[in-house]
Amino acid sequence: MKEDAIILGIEGTAWNLSAALVDERKIISEYEKPYLPKEGGIHPRDAAQSHASNIKEVISKTIRKAEIDLDEIKGVAFSIGPGMGPCLRTVATASRALSLLLKVPLLGVNHCVAHIEFGRWLTGAKNPLVLYVSGANSQVIAYRDKKYRIYGETLDIGVGNAIDKFSRFFGLKHPGGPKVEELAKRGKEYVRLPYVVKGMDFSFSGLVTAATSKSKENSLEDLSFSFQENAFSMLTEVTERALSYARRDELLLVGGVGANLRLREMLETVCEEREVKFFVPDRRYVGDNGAMIAYTGLLMLKNGMATPIERSSVKPNFRPDEAEIPWF
Ligand code: AMP
Ligand code: MG
């Protein structure tokens, strides 16, 4: 394989349909068409329909912007899971067709692993403990012996989904994360809410139920503030213990909720106290994007890990600890 091989990556596990071309050194081009629900949360069938309508434009604009010849593309990478079945299948179908058309290997990427590898690539973190916090996922992860191991995780919903559900109850439009972050800044009084850490795991659905049930007697600002304080403290507590247990001196924050400045502040405090280096990608790269899929696809290609079409069925429940990681 040539040093400067270019990979096309396509992400579309949930809300963001996004494609990118990367080589070993840089992101060459990217283009995205996020799905934004008109009301309510992400409906898997609607999101998949939106991806199906936009995927041609997203791929062709990504390639056109790069000003490269098609034969420079040496692989087609896509999110094979975890994610919403209908969304995954839409992207997988387009990716298989492209791989056949371009006569290049297909690369089925684990979406969580892609967040981590891309985060390491962008920030220079070497062997970090990872806090991965997105809509559907919340996990504390570190590499050991050929795999990413999960040290702690949510017992029910991801912290992003919890925030989105909470905000939806108050009529705020999806995604709720950035809106709740703003409201929380204006919170004045802490409202007592559940704090659920069990061993190394955490749970968020009781927090949503409790916070929404107190909507009559408390302001939305106070509830947003208290919700964030509890949810992020739970994540920070488990992360701190995992840093000690896994003996890491680096922490990497990835996933859409990683954009939140209050969460970053809590983690930074822990890192300062423990002399741990804190890494977080630029805000626009913490959430789902095509470049992370393209970059991880490149790692797979270099390690002979192409995905034969007959074994490219999507894996809606693909866990990061099920993926082989030979490149670490
Ligand atoms: P991802 O699936 O990794 O793209 O992450 C999407 C999730 O991140 C959604 O649940 C958003 O509400 C959440 N999110 C985005 N920005 C923020 C923010 N500033 N604070 C908290 N959550 C956020
Ligand atoms: Mg994600």
Side-chain angles (χ1 to χ4, degrees):
M1 203 182 95
K2 271 186 11 200
E3 271 297 295
D4 53 353
I6 296 174
I7 303 293
L8 173 69
I10 312 170
E11 158 60 27
T13 53
W15 64 278
N16 197 12
L17 180 71
S18 164
L21 286 160
V22 310
D23 66 19
E24 197 122 0
R25 281 159 300 194
K26 61 187 179 304
I27 299 166
I28 300 166
S29 71
E30 10 177 19
Y31 191 81
E32 64 177 13
K33 267 274 160 112
Y35 156 80
L36 285 172
K38 285 191 191 67
E39 52 173 21
I42 303 176
H43 189 298
R45 205 180 47 225
D46 281 354
Q49 186 54 54
S50 162
H51 293 354
S53 308
N54 292 320
I55 199 156
K56 180 172 174 287
E57 178 190 345
V58 166
I59 292 169
S60 51
K61 290 220 167 123
T62 303
I63 295 175
R64 217 174 302 150
K65 271 168 81 178
E67 296 178 354
I68 57 162
D69 293 328
L70 281 182
D71 64 5
E72 290 179 73
I73 298 175
K74 301 298 181 212
V76 174
F78 72 105
S79 280
I80 198 166
M84 296 176 170
C87 299
L88 292 171
R89 283 192 288 277
T90 302
V91 171
T93 304
S95 305
R96 287 184 202 110
L98 261 178
S99 133
L100 289 171
L101 181 76
L102 299 174
K103 299 191 174 63
V104 296
L106 182 65
L107 304 147
V109 172
N110 178 295
H111 174 95
C112 314
V113 169
H115 271 293
I116 301 173
E117 295 305 345
F118 190 56
R120 285 175 59 216
W121 190 49
L122 292 178
T123 64
K126 290 190 180 64
N127 187 8
L129 186 84
V130 181
L131 176 60
Y132 169 41
V133 275
S134 68
N137 302 291
S138 297
Q139 290 166 329
V140 177
I141 302 168
Y143 175 83
R144 183 164 45 82
D145 193 18
K146 301 270 182 292
K147 291 212 167 157
Y148 281 113
R149 313 282 169 173
I150 299 173
Y151 285 76
E153 64 187 316
T154 181
L155 297 168
D156 41 46
I157 55 176
V159 63
N161 279 356
I163 297 173
D164 294 339
K165 272 189 171 183
F166 166 77
S167 64
R168 210 147 62 225
F169 177 86
F170 292 97
L172 302 174
K173 277 200 115 179
H174 186 88
K179 294 162 195 121
V180 172
E181 179 170 18
E182 281 314 306
L183 287 161
K185 286 181 191 157
R186 302 201 295 274
K188 290 195 180 69
E189 243 169 88
Y190 175 75
V191 182
R192 192 168 267 280
L193 294 173
Y195 181 100
V196 187
V197 172
K198 295 186 179 181
M200 291 292 279
D201 296 325
F202 26 77
S203 142
F204 296 106
S205 62
L207 182 55
V208 179
T209 310
T212 51
S213 73
K214 295 190 175 192
S215 65
K216 292 227 165 62
E217 51 294 14
N218 299 283
S219 73
L220 178 53
E221 287 79 2
D222 285 348
L223 285 172
S224 298
F225 164 70
S226 312
F227 190 108
Q228 282 203 167
E229 290 304 298
N230 274 35
F232 297 163
S233 301
M234 284 153 55
L235 293 166
T236 304
E237 179 194 327
V238 172
T239 301
E240 179 169 19
R241 268 191 283 136
L243 277 169
S244 167
Y245 180 61
R247 296 208 190 97
R248 298 303 149 109
D249 57 9
E250 297 176 328
L251 175 65
L252 173 65
L253 173 64
V254 294
V257 184
N260 190 289
L261 297 181
R262 178 61 182 136
L263 175 61
R264 291 182 184 200
E265 185 181 38
M266 283 191 194
L267 295 169
E268 265 159 2
T269 306
V270 160
C271 286
E272 265 166 39
E273 282 168 3
R274 306 188 67 91
E275 295 184 9
V276 165
K277 264 197 225 157
F278 181 59
F279 297 93
V280 58
D282 188 271
R283 240 175 173 209
R284 69 194 186 107
Y285 286 128
V286 285
D288 297 348
N289 65 85
M292 70 185 202
I293 304 304
Y295 175 70
T296 310
L298 179 61
L299 293 177
M300 289 177 71
L301 186 66
K302 282 171 64 185
N303 284 274
M305 292 171 72
T307 309
I309 295 227
E310 61 279 13
R311 279 196 275 132
S312 65
S313 303
V314 300
K315 301 177 185 175
N317 300 313
F318 195 8
R319 289 166 61 83
D321 52 0
E322 290 166 340
E324 293 295 331
I325 312 291
W327 51 73
F328 199 91

